[in-house]
Amino acid sequence: MDFSSDSVRDLPAMEITAALERLTRLFLRLAPRGELSLTAVSVLSLLSRSGPRRLTDLAAGEGVTQPAMTQLVSRLQESGLAERAGDPEDGRVVLVHVTDAGRTALAERSAARAALLSELLSQLAEAELDGLVAALPAIDSLTSLMPDERPATVRAS
């Protein structure tokens, strides 16, 4: 397929967007029902992957207000999933860290999702499953192109 013109590249982008939106809905439905909101899981995951962050950075990355993030972090801290600690390089700064209990909660949530997904994958034809596995490197490459912070809102003209 010739991808030299923008209009030709837009067609796969639209198809991929639609497929990823369907996959996202499926992925959300695989989440075990529990006390953790999607934002809480996102914050804990970011802290687990990237290390301690300032509240202001977490709020900006999740697209919420700083007071909303403060409340979320307080709930995570009360649950023992996150903690606040001073920045060793700047005593005025407070950093949020994920705790071992937070990592365990993430791992349990991931395992529950994987178990449900495994049931669905077992219903696919072998060629379909092979196709999904073959797409994993491209999906990893695609996801690594976007930073953890949310991009600014793009408005269609």
Side-chain angles (χ1 to χ4, degrees), residues 89-113:
E89 295 177 15
D90 185 346
R92 301 168 296 172
V93 174
V94 174
L95 298 174
V96 180
H97 303 252
V98 65
T99 63
D100 288 341
R103 284 185 191 86
T104 298
L106 286 173
E108 289 171 354
R109 183 180 174 93
S110 182
R113 259 191 180 149

Side-chain angles (χ1 to χ4, degrees), residues 125-136 139:
E126 189 173 342
E128 292 171 320
L129 185 56
D130 290 346
L132 285 174
V133 171
L136 292 176
I139 292 169

